[in-house]
Amino acid sequence: MNDSKRKLRRTKPVDNAWSLKIPQFKKEDNPHRLLEESSFATLFPKYREQYLKEYWPLVEKALEEYAITAQLDLIEGSMTVKTTRKTWDPYIIIKARDMIKLMSRSVPFEQAVKVLQDNMAADIIKISSLVRKKEKFVKRRQRLIGPNGCTLKSIELLTNCYVLVQGQTVAALGPYKGLQQVRRIVEDTMKNIHPIYNIKALMIKKELAKDPKLKNESWERFLPKFNSKNISKRKQPLKKKEKKPYTPFPPPQQESKLDKAMASGEYFLNEEQKRAKRKKEQDEKHKEATKRRQERRAQVFVPPEEKPVENNIIKTDIDIEEIKKKVEKGLKKHKS
């Protein structure tokens, strides 16, 4: 009997196993509730105090559905979420932690509350440690946002995520696949790879996914390739120095400015003579420059060389004899 059961289990179809939706976790799935209490706390900056104070009743109401308590401490500047004896979902405390983290990073409540859904997740990317110099960090962060926020908006549309660049972090909220794409774009941008390359790649992938013929093929030939032109000086091959023939004698001593002045006779001139000499040299330079300028301007008026005209004899296929005969016939008819 057991052998027949095993055979039946083996013959069951498992092709559509991945296409099945994950069922929602409900109260009936965990009737005994949680035995231990879990809690998470996070700090928030001073400028977020007024906003959090205003929206905190809505936060408590949203978490009350999942039997999670929330506390706002304005003295210490912290938010805390805790499980209770009525909490049935063991993972909802992680979701609540992500929610208060997002709100502390200036994400509005309307967006942060979406993280409590099963198909949504949050990711906070620290970008301050990816770039050393502050000037480069500011430029690359602005490159991620784009002019009037166009680049950030296109990233949001392609990844189906909400992305907020605030201070030294980037807060992202959306599906798991979209969060992976956002993290890759952000990290590449901070590594001096323009986000337009990744945006183009995502657009191409979105179009290729619609074609069933290309479903099982490699898409590398369609995607844009980025070649970094910034080559480090350390990686550049060192130029080989040519070995000079060995000589036991030291190189000749170079002449100093005084030696050169004495050799040219300038050393023995007084200040007026030196000034006159310098002026003469300058005048000669000016004359040469004006001469070159005049020659360059005169080139416009020089006529181009004309090609010799060849006496081409026009060849025609007209028969003169036939024309004469026609003229004679016409004259005869006119006389008659």
Side-chain angles (χ1 to χ4, degrees):
M1 188 73 182
N2 291 333
D3 294 335
S4 62
K5 279 183 180 179
R6 282 174 188 169
K7 284 178 183 177
L8 285 166
R9 282 175 189 169
R10 284 174 192 168
T11 54
K12 278 183 181 180
V14 290
D15 295 336
N16 299 324
W18 291 104
S19 63
L20 294 170
K21 288 184 178 180
I22 299 166
Q24 193 178 359
F25 195 82
K26 296 178 181 179
K27 288 182 182 181
E28 295 79 28
D29 297 326
N30 188 13
H32 303 292
R33 306 293 186 264
L34 303 178
L35 298 173
E36 295 290 334
E37 184 186 280
S38 301
S39 64
F40 289 100
T42 186
L43 299 171
F44 59 86
K46 186 74 176 174
Y47 64 85
R48 291 289 291 167
E49 187 177 320
Q50 188 63 33
Y51 181 86
L52 292 170
K53 192 177 178 181
E54 189 179 342
Y55 279 85
W56 197 250
L58 295 172
V59 175
E60 287 179 335
K61 191 179 179 182
L63 294 172
E64 195 178 343
E65 294 178 14
Y66 301 95
I68 298 284
T69 57
Q71 294 176 358
L72 178 67
D73 193 342
L74 297 173
I75 298 164
E76 289 185 3
S78 66
M79 293 180 281
T80 311
V81 286
K82 292 180 183 178
T83 56
T84 59
R85 291 287 296 167
K86 293 180 181 179
T87 308
W88 74 92
D89 191 349
Y91 194 72
I92 197 66
I93 188 66
I94 305 296
K95 296 268 190 182
R97 178 202 66 182
D98 290 343
M99 180 182 168
I100 59 171
K101 270 189 179 182
L102 289 169
M103 290 189 73
S104 68
R105 297 310 308 158
S106 301
V107 176
F109 169 75
E110 292 81 6
Q111 296 292 339
V113 76
K114 291 178 184 178
V115 81
L116 298 175
Q117 297 172 16
D118 286 341
N119 60 339
M120 299 290 273
D123 190 12
I124 294 169
I125 308 154
K126 290 181 181 178
I127 55 173
S128 58
S129 59
L130 298 173
V131 184
R132 289 182 182 179
K133 291 184 179 179
K134 191 178 179 181
E135 292 175 2
K136 285 185 179 179
F137 169 74
V138 172
K139 281 182 182 178
R140 290 175 190 180
R141 185 180 62 181
Q142 186 57 39
R143 194 184 294 166
L144 184 66
I145 297 164
N148 300 323
C150 291
T151 309
L152 200 67
K153 191 70 182 173
S154 59
I155 292 166
E156 287 180 349
L157 289 168
L158 288 165
T159 58
N160 297 322
C161 293
Y162 174 82
V163 185
L164 179 72
V165 181
Q166 177 72 19
Q168 297 182 352
T169 57
V170 176
L173 170 71
Y176 293 98
K177 191 177 180 181
L179 291 175
Q180 285 180 347
Q181 292 168 346
V182 170
R183 178 171 273 275
R184 187 182 174 185
I185 292 166
V186 170
E187 287 178 352
D188 284 354
T189 306
M190 301 315 287
K191 289 174 184 175
N192 203 20
I193 297 171
H194 204 282
I196 196 70
Y197 290 101
N198 286 311
I199 288 165
K200 278 183 180 179
L202 286 174
M203 288 171 74
I204 292 161
K205 282 178 182 177
K206 202 171 184 180
E207 291 298 319
L208 290 169
K210 295 175 184 178
D211 193 350
K213 292 177 183 178
L214 299 168
K215 194 176 182 181
N216 299 320
E217 288 185 20
S218 178
W219 294 349
E220 285 184 8
R221 55 192 172 140
F222 302 108
L223 301 176
K225 292 178 182 178
F226 173 73
N227 296 321
S228 181
K229 292 180 181 179
N230 297 330
I231 301 164
S232 178
K233 288 181 180 179
R234 293 177 187 174
K235 292 180 182 178
Q236 284 178 354
L238 296 168
K239 291 180 180 178
K240 291 181 180 180
K241 292 180 179 179
E242 292 181 2
K243 288 184 178 180
K244 294 178 181 179
Y246 173 74
T247 53
F249 306 105
Q253 192 174 358
Q254 292 182 351
E255 289 183 349
S256 63
K257 287 182 180 179
L258 280 171
D259 294 336
K260 288 176 182 177
M262 287 172 79
S264 62
E266 193 179 346
Y267 181 77
F268 305 102
L269 300 173
N270 56 20
E271 286 297 321
E272 288 182 7
Q273 288 172 336
K274 285 178 183 177
R275 213 178 292 120
K277 191 183 177 183
R278 269 190 244 113
K279 193 179 179 183
K280 191 180 178 182
E281 287 175 357
Q282 283 179 358
D283 290 341
E284 286 176 1
K285 284 181 181 177
H286 286 312
K287 281 179 183 178
E288 286 178 6
T290 50
K291 192 179 178 183
R292 282 198 299 271
R293 203 183 303 117
Q294 285 172 0
E295 285 175 359
R296 193 166 59 252
R297 286 175 181 174
Q299 281 178 1
V300 183
F301 302 102
V302 176
E305 291 181 4
E306 293 182 1
K307 293 179 180 179
V309 180
E310 295 178 359
N311 295 323
N312 295 328
I313 299 163
I314 300 164
K315 294 179 181 179
T316 56
D317 298 332
I318 300 164
D319 195 351
I320 296 163
E321 294 294 330
E322 284 183 9
I323 293 166
K324 282 180 181 180
K325 286 177 184 178
K326 284 179 182 179
V327 172
E328 286 173 359
K329 281 181 183 179
L331 288 167
K332 284 176 183 178
K333 284 179 182 178
H334 184 69
K335 284 175 184 179
S336 61

